[in-house]
Amino acid sequence: MKYQANEKGYYGDFGGAYIPEMLYPNVEELRTTYLDIMNEPSFKEEFNQLLKDYVGRPSPLYYAKRLSEKHNTKVYLKREDLNHTGAHKVNNTIGQILVAKKLGKNRIIAETGAGQHGVATATVCALMGIECIVYMGEIDIKRQAPNVARMKMLGAEVRPAKSGSKTLKDATNEAIRDWINNPVDTHYIIGSAIGPHPYPDMVTRFQSIISEEIKWQLKEKEGRENPDYVVACIGGGSNAAGTYYHFLDEPDVGIIAVEAAGKGVNSGESAATSQLGKEGIIHGCRTLLMQTPDGQITEPYSISAGLDYPGVGPLHSHLYKTGRGEFYSVTDDDAMTAGLELSQLEGIIPAIETSHALAIFNDKKFKADDIVVISLSGRGDKDLNTYIDYFKL
Ligand SMILES: Cc1ncc(COP(=O)(O)O)c(C=O)c1O
């Protein structure tokens, strides 16, 4: 397949494993075992059973009639918001906790931005009875307070990251530091399609259940497996990678990625990595990265904690550079308006991350008979205060 990582974890020019020597044994252990573990019949059976009975999969593919009428095209929503814990993140944490168990690890660390990955990690650690520490930027701890409470309720320890922009990038730095100090007993559950190889590929494979289901669900509803477009928001890129995966080598399916433009791409307060990024290395992989001319990482900004990241996964950099994906950037204001629109047209309050994907209709005009599948990556409960403040509800 053209868009798979090669053996060294490269998607074209992007990917690889750029890690400090101290992390080499951990990452190497994972790299040499992950595919064998994932292919074991007993692993597949346990993973699929948990996705079904614990997560509640398959998630519905919902035809959004009123949204479709409004934008004069056929819109289906892939309802990852209906998963246990409220977002797609749990597909990956179920997979990785099973990998960690196979590797004999008894301590889990994670980073989180919106808190959805932190909650999903705390959840599977409670399920398996494993110690859990989640690193989270101080600013994110404030803006995603309900998720912090959920993680604590689930028995996880939430450690604040106080450096830099006090958001996702800084939480990831702290988690990497922890892993370096605890190499033997700890597995680091990365929450997006980022990090050193094999993480982007492993996370993408766990999330690929999204497009696997879209194929047969669409066949049932429309008599064909391929939509005309798949659309997803991009933080690090895991819900997008899962939504695109089985369509990457299908040229008749358009791939649309939506990034956070914050207060505007050129405002200095943005997270529009494909527009502003240059090739560089962040958190263990070569990818597009927002940086100063001398290579210092630029502090990102977005109203949504889950998209507030200065890089993007290597698969997405490759999709951008090769032109396979169409990339759009959506401002805070346009995302918030799209979130309100979905709430009032369909009775579904989306996560603010997801609202960015829903704002695609401002930028892209679809044909009336196009089938457009949008990844509804998460529910908006965690964001209610931000919506309330913004709309003065
Ligand atoms: C609901 C939701 N959607 C999207 C994202 C962005 O992450 P990713 O790009 O890995 O899907 C997050 C991250 O926290 C999220 O919580």
Side-chain angles (χ1 to χ4, degrees):
M1 286 167 84
K2 249 164 90 186
Y3 298 96
Q4 288 277 16
N6 70 15
E7 225 168 77
K8 295 209 157 116
Y10 279 91
Y11 301 86
D13 297 335
F14 304 103
Y18 297 81
I19 44 171
E21 205 178 318
M22 303 279 285
L23 278 186
Y24 186 76
N26 290 26
V27 173
E28 193 58 8
E29 180 185 35
L30 203 58
R31 185 186 72 78
T32 51
T33 54
Y34 82 110
L35 285 178
D36 288 342
I37 293 176
M38 287 173 74
N39 284 326
E40 275 172 26
S42 64
F43 180 94
K44 283 189 184 164
E45 196 181 316
E46 196 174 359
F47 180 59
N48 289 332
Q49 197 70 43
L50 284 170
L51 287 185
K52 178 167 177 277
D53 296 337
Y54 189 72
V55 175
R57 302 204 72 91
S59 68
L61 184 68
Y62 165 67
Y63 174 61
K65 185 163 174 287
R66 280 174 29 91
L67 191 68
S68 297
E69 279 165 11
K70 168 110 197 251
H71 297 293
N72 195 26
T73 190
K74 266 185 138 168
V75 186
Y76 281 89
L77 302 175
K78 182 60 174 158
R79 300 289 310 272
E80 295 300 300
D81 60 316
L82 293 178
N83 293 341
H84 178 46
T85 71
H88 65 295
K89 297 282 181 185
V90 72
N91 303 325
N92 168 49
T93 60
I94 295 262
Q96 283 203 49
I97 198 83
L98 296 179
V99 170
K101 270 184 35 178
K102 292 268 182 199
L103 296 176
K105 308 289 180 181
N106 57 22
R107 181 174 178 271
I108 295 293
I109 56 171
E111 84 298 332
T112 198
Q116 284 304 130
H117 173 59
V119 167
T121 305
T123 298
V124 297
C125 286
L127 179 68
M128 299 293 171
I130 296 180
E131 181 187 358
C132 178
I133 292 147
V134 180
Y135 291 92
M136 188 166 188
E138 232 175 17
I139 288 189
D140 294 339
I141 286 181
K142 285 203 191 93
R143 62 180 160 174
Q144 306 282 227
N147 274 345
V148 177
R150 288 166 84 197
M151 285 184 264
K152 290 184 178 164
M153 180 95 187
L154 291 160
E157 186 192 337
V158 181
R159 291 194 188 161
K162 300 179 176 179
S163 60
S165 56
K166 303 183 181 63
T167 58
L168 181 55
K169 155 179 77 66
D170 314 288
T172 310
N173 289 340
E174 294 295 333
I176 291 174
R177 213 164 287 146
D178 181 312
W179 210 21
I180 290 174
N181 291 327
N182 299 284
V184 179
D185 63 341
T186 299
H187 174 68
Y188 177 14
I189 300 192
I190 295 184
S192 193
I194 53 169
H197 178 60
Y199 280 100
D201 184 48
M202 180 169 68
V203 174
T204 297
R205 284 169 191 261
F206 286 136
Q207 292 292 0
S208 70
I209 184 72
I210 301 174
S211 46
E212 193 182 312
E213 288 174 3
I214 292 172
K215 275 194 165 258
W216 64 257
Q217 289 173 320
L218 205 60
K219 176 94 183 157
E220 268 180 19
K221 289 178 196 300
E222 293 282 345
R224 58 167 157 126
E225 289 189 337
N226 287 0
D228 296 290
Y229 294 94
V230 279
V231 182
C233 68
I234 301 216
S238 70
N239 87 92
T243 304
Y244 305 158
Y245 188 80
H246 290 282
F247 302 115
L248 286 169
D249 289 306
E250 308 271 339
D252 57 325
V253 182
I255 303 270
I256 296 183
V258 185
E259 295 178 323
K263 296 189 174 158
V265 174
N266 296 313
S267 66
E269 291 184 82
S270 154
T273 310
S274 72
Q275 305 306 305
L276 300 171
K278 300 267 177 305
E279 293 183 23
I281 289 165
I282 184 169
H283 299 140
C285 70
R286 169 171 282 280
T287 192
L288 290 174
L289 170 63
M290 287 164 40
Q291 53 188 307
T292 61
D294 51 1
Q296 294 299 313
I297 292 172
T298 312
E299 298 298 349
Y301 163 80
S302 165
I303 194 168
S304 99
L307 306 187
D308 199 348
Y309 187 69
V312 65
L315 165 64
H316 304 293
S317 294
H318 184 53
L319 295 177
Y320 178 73
K321 195 166 172 180
T322 56
R324 174 68 183 99
E326 278 176 65
F327 280 66
Y328 294 90
S329 328
V330 161
T331 60
D332 289 355
D333 290 340
D334 286 347
M336 296 302 273
T337 305
L340 188 66
E341 178 185 88
L342 187 77
S343 306
Q344 300 188 353
L345 281 179
E346 297 288 347
I348 300 170
I349 302 174
I352 297 177
E353 290 77 16
T354 316
S355 296
H356 285 72
L358 294 161
I360 186 64
F361 300 106
N362 294 332
D363 292 313
K364 171 100 186 162
K365 293 287 163 252
F366 298 99
K367 295 201 290 288
D369 60 352
D370 277 343
I371 295 178
V372 181
V373 176
I374 302 181
S375 166
L376 205 78
S377 57
R379 66 177 87 126
D381 310 27
K382 69 184 178 59
D383 296 315
L384 272 188
N385 280 336
T386 312
Y387 281 126
I388 288 167
D389 289 349
Y390 185 89
F391 290 113
K392 314 229 173 333
L393 298 171

